């Protein structure tokens, strides 16, 4: 597996997520380990302006297509703030293990997250971001 690259965060996304963490998301339904993982990514990540943010990197409200390694099946999800999460609409919280694994990483990169059957590796196949 390739070395995990440095995550890239848009400054405005970082500010929103960081404020959410400060306001009690540490007690999120996903537990402190997930929150600590997100905070660790923030610490090693690179903050960039909206204009400098790459179009193929996952951010808040990104629509992402991932593929599990060793399987042909693809999955499409949207990474959102916790209050917007809705599994039926495939909107996944940035505080969920999959959200933490994806945010800040881009097309072609491999990510890993915990699923009920253990850790799974996925490749980010496509990232769709609205320009704002």
């Amino acid at each position: 597996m390739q070395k995990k690259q440095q995550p890239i965060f848009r400054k405005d996304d970082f500010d929103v997520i960081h404020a959410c963490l400060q306001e009690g998301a540490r007690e999120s339904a996903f537990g402190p380990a997930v929150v600590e993982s997100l905070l660790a990514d923030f610490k090693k990540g690179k903050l960039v302006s909206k204009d400098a943010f790459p179009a193929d990197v996952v951010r808040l409200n990104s629509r992402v297509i991932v593929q599990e390694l060793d399987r042909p099946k693809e999955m499409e999800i949207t990474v959102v703030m916790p209050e917007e999460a809705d599994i039926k609409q495939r909107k996944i919280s940035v505080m969920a293990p999959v959200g933490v694994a994806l945010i800040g990483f881009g097309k072609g990169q491999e990510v890993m997250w915990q699923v009920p059957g253990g850790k799974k590796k996925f490749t980010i196949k496509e990232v769709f971001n609205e320009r704002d």
Side-chain angles (χ1 to χ4, degrees):
M1 183 171 154
Q2 68 192 40
K3 185 175 180 241
K4 194 171 184 180
Q5 296 177 348
Q6 179 185 37
I8 301 170
F9 303 102
R10 254 180 57 166
K11 175 78 169 83
D12 52 344
D13 285 350
F14 173 85
D15 291 343
V16 169
I17 295 167
H18 198 262
C20 182
L21 290 171
Q22 300 305 321
E23 292 169 9
R26 287 183 186 277
E27 294 82 39
S28 82
F30 302 106
V34 171
V35 173
E36 291 305 317
S37 179
L38 184 57
L39 287 171
D41 278 350
F42 278 164
K43 286 179 184 169
K44 64 185 171 197
K46 178 180 177 184
L47 288 181
V48 299
S49 69
K50 177 170 56 173
D51 295 334
F53 190 79
D56 63 351
V57 171
V58 179
R59 61 175 298 259
L60 282 177
N61 301 309
S62 290
R63 195 166 47 91
V64 186
I65 297 174
V66 295
Q67 180 179 3
E68 186 176 343
L69 295 183
D70 307 323
R71 292 196 173 173
K73 186 177 178 188
E74 292 182 344
M75 175 174 60
E76 182 178 323
I77 58 175
T78 302
V79 179
V80 297
M81 289 299 291
E83 62 274 9
E84 299 168 30
D86 182 345
I87 195 68
K88 290 180 182 169
Q89 295 182 26
R90 294 181 295 207
K91 292 183 177 182
I92 306 297
S93 170
V94 68
M95 305 292 176
V98 62
V100 171
L102 290 171
I103 193 142
F105 295 98
K107 180 178 176 178
Q109 289 185 279
E110 293 178 1
V111 296
M112 186 175 4
W113 68 81
Q114 189 73 35
V115 296
K119 289 190 176 194
K120 297 274 186 177
K121 292 180 185 176
F122 294 81
T123 299
I124 300 172
K125 301 297 279 184
E126 291 290 340
V127 179
F128 302 96
N129 286 313
E130 300 291 324
R131 294 312 290 169
D132 59 349

